Each structure stands twice: as C-alpha cells, then as structure tokens.
Amino acid sequence: MGSSIGFGGGVLGDGGGSEIVAGRSSLIFLGTGCSATVPNARCLICATDPPCPVCTQALSIPPESNPNYRCNTSLLIDYCQDGVHNYIIIDVGKTFREQVLRWFTHHKIPRIDSIILTHEHADAVLGLDDVRVVQHDTNSIPIYCTQFTMDSVTKRFPYLAKRNLKEGHVFRFTSQLDWKIIDDDIEKPFIASGLKFIPLPVMHGEDYVCLGFLFGQKTRIAYISDVSRFPYATEYIISKSGAGQLDLLILETNSIRKVVTRSTHLSFPETLETLKRLRPRQALLVGMTHDYDHDRYNKLLEEWSSREGISVQLARDGLQLYADL
C-alpha cells in the first residue's frame, strides 16, 4: 500500500492514506467485487482440489492489505467545494456495513450527504437499512434513483419510504431517506450535494436498463458498474470520437471469459473491446469475480495498456483517487 501513479491534476493512490485532504476532492472505491463478492463463499464451502487460489488468499490475508478481497461494487465521492466536503455514495449493497467499518473509519468519512442508485438489484440496495449509522440525526439523506428503482426498494423496505416527521422528532432506528426521482435520460442531469450528474442509461441484460453516471467539470469521469450493452447515445457522450474523451472511465469487468449465452455483464474481453472504442485517458475496472487475481491481471493490463495507449488497471477496495472535480 502507498504507491501511486500520475493522473491528470490529481494522484491515483492505492488506499494508503487515511486522512481527508483539505481543499481536495477524491474518489474512494468502497467495493470492487461482483454481487457474490470475493472470497466466494460457495468456492470455500465446496472447495476444489487444488483450492481456488484467489479465494484462499482473500480469506487468509487481512482485507486491508489484500487486493483480492472485494466487497460489492460501490463508489464514494468526496466532493470538496470552497473547503467544504460533501460525501456522495453510488450504490449501497449487501456489504455496506462492512465497507463502513473498514473504509469509512480508515479514510475518516464522517457521514453520507447524498445517495445515488444505479438500479435496484441486491448488490446495489440491500445496505440501505444500515445507512442510519452514517446520517445526521436530524436530516434525511437525499437518495436519487428512477421511479422503478424506488418502487422496488420501498416494496422490500416499506419503512424506508418517505414519511413526515413531527417537528423536533428524530427516528434513530431507521434510515431517513428523502426520495428524489431521476430519469434514465442523458438530457436530464441532476445535482447531488452540489455536484452535477448526467445519467447514462445502459443495458444490463436484454431488456433491463441500469444507470451509469457522468460527472466532473474539470476532470471528466464516467462510472458504469453494471452493463452488457451500450445504447448509441450513451456511447457517444463518453467516447473520444463522440462528445469528448473521458479523463477516467470506471467500468465493470465481470467474468474473465465471454459468456456464450446472453449475459447481463461485460466479460474481460468485451470490456477491453469497449475501452478500445471509447478510448478514455485512463480506466479502472470493477465488478470482478474470484477468477481475477489482482496482481496477475494488472500485469496483463500493463502490457495491454502499452500496446493500446490507454492506461488500465483493476481497481481495489480502499483505493483513493484525488481529482479536481
């Protein structure tokens, strides 16, 4: 931990720091794994011979010094404007409590100011009940999502639906969420805690729409965690040959091999083909299964990056990236 490489006006570090830097915005990768997380519990329960090396290592080495230990994919944006920090989280999945214990404490994140949801699957929303530990006692947290996502979440968590609080009364035992409905439309951006986000609708399977997000004026960043296909309008706005080159693309890479049948996620070969089309200045990959050994695949990516002229790495839990937003 502690190494870094250059990135635009900021520094890409690997989670070695534990202090919020005054006057600087940053991205913190709270999780970089698939829905099943790594280590994969079934892989350990039904062990093969020889056992899975990635899951074995992920279980045997402390997570904070183990890049093969991966919680559900989630990004925390520490947006600093005029010296004031606002904390925006994208997705609150099944492992959120663990991520708070590990990375909120490590990076000294005191609260969440806004929540953004990409979609309503378990690895994006099942941690919402635990949000109560990182919110102000007297304030509801704005939560931005589509109507479809809100309807699904409130069916599973009816007590998280918006309610009217009596003046001076505080609910201390449930998360208080102020639901803000957004559209899956590039033409309809929204503001969360002072930062502008442009929704990026992508296909997550044959007929399911998931959202990615484009944000940052000084540093142009796109976050796309669950995707199998890009609609033309979305690909255009984030491509070098379209609306403009991204400074950073955070993109999923799920399985290491292309799935023969219809898949809901990009595989490693498909992710690399996508990067060649979009040509961001830099890319960090998330959503990995237990098939990815962090060091081995980053060596492969170094070789690929040298050939293609695009700097690409696997991200890791706890990674912190400073960037001017």
Side-chain angles (χ1 to χ4, degrees):
M1 300 177 74
S3 61
S4 63
I5 62 174
F7 170 63
V11 173
L12 173 58
D14 65 358
S18 60
E19 298 286 346
I20 296 300
V21 176
R24 298 208 67 185
S25 298
S26 70
L27 312 178
I28 298 173
F29 290 76
L30 299 177
T32 57
C34 60
S35 181
T37 72
V38 183
N40 184 302
R42 181 170 180 81
C43 188
L44 296 171
I45 293 170
C46 304
T48 57
D49 186 16
C52 169
V54 172
C55 289
T56 301
Q57 183 193 61
L59 190 66
S60 60
I61 298 176
E64 57 272 13
S65 46
N66 183 355
N68 283 328
Y69 190 101
R70 305 180 183 115
C71 290
N72 292 148
T73 292
S74 176
L75 183 72
L76 182 79
I77 303 168
D78 169 17
Y79 178 50
C80 185
Q81 191 175 34
D82 299 325
V84 177
H85 291 268
N86 282 286
Y87 304 98
I88 306 160
I89 190 170
I90 302 180
D91 285 343
V92 185
K94 297 178 286 184
T95 55
F96 177 66
R97 180 178 179 274
E98 181 178 357
Q99 291 162 320
V100 169
L101 293 173
R102 176 161 293 117
W103 300 119
F104 278 57
T105 57
H106 180 79
H107 292 288
K108 295 181 170 50
I109 304 299
R111 65 184 184 277
I112 288 177
D113 295 298
S114 292
I115 299 169
I116 301 173
L117 299 180
T118 59
H119 63 315
E120 42 77 54
H121 287 171
D123 56 340
V125 306
L126 284 193
L128 286 173
D129 181 69
D130 286 314
V131 165
R132 62 186 184 270
V133 303
V134 290
Q135 72 178 65
H136 290 298
D137 283 344
T138 57
N139 294 334
S140 295
I141 300 178
I143 178 168
Y144 299 84
C145 62
T146 64
Q147 186 68 57
F148 177 81
T149 294
M150 178 186 172
D151 292 344
S152 175
V153 171
T154 53
K155 285 179 182 177
R156 286 185 255 183
F157 300 103
Y159 56 90
L160 296 183
K162 187 175 181 180
R163 69 181 83 182
N164 294 319
L165 300 181
K166 295 180 181 179
E167 186 176 353
H169 186 69
V170 177
F171 281 102
R172 296 185 181 276
F173 304 109
T174 60
S175 304
Q176 297 303 297
L177 305 176
D178 183 10
W179 297 89
K180 308 286 189 182
I181 302 304
I182 60 174
D183 293 304
D184 53 358
D185 188 340
I186 290 172
E187 300 298 327
K188 295 182 178 180
F190 62 96
I191 306 293
S193 295
L195 185 60
K196 179 181 176 181
F197 291 85
I198 296 174
L200 300 174
V202 295
M203 302 311 297
H204 183 23
E206 187 173 359
D207 57 2
Y208 184 95
V209 176
C210 182
L211 290 182
F213 299 98
L214 175 64
F215 61 94
Q217 293 183 334
K218 298 176 183 177
T219 304
R220 201 162 179 260
I221 300 170
Y223 176 87
I224 302 172
S225 61
D226 294 82
V227 56
S228 56
R229 180 170 57 84
F230 289 81
Y232 172 78
T234 295
E235 183 157 325
Y236 178 84
I237 198 174
I238 59 174
S239 66
K240 183 178 180 180
S241 61
Q245 188 177 34
L246 293 171
D247 294 300
L248 174 65
L249 174 59
I250 301 167
L251 182 63
E252 84 153 344
T253 181
N254 188 252
S255 58
I256 59 172
R257 298 180 184 85
K258 187 174 181 178
V259 179
V260 177
T261 57
R262 292 185 182 273
S263 175
T264 57
H265 297 275
L266 291 180
S267 64
F268 187 64
E270 292 168 322
T271 296
L272 296 183
E273 287 300 316
T274 301
L275 293 176
K276 287 197 286 187
R277 291 199 315 272
L278 300 180
R279 301 207 66 81
R281 288 190 175 90
Q282 185 167 1
L284 287 168
L285 306 185
V286 296
M288 288 81 72
T289 67
H290 67 148
D291 293 312
Y292 292 84
D293 178 85
H294 183 87
D295 293 337
R296 175 171 175 261
Y297 270 82
N298 268 349
K299 287 180 181 178
L300 294 175
L301 286 170
E302 284 179 10
E303 297 171 2
W304 187 91
S305 297
S306 179
R307 292 195 307 271
E308 299 296 335
I310 306 170
S311 178
V312 186
Q313 293 180 337
L314 299 184
R316 56 163 294 167
D317 289 22
L319 177 67
Q320 184 173 29
L321 166 68
Y322 286 99
D324 297 326
L325 298 177

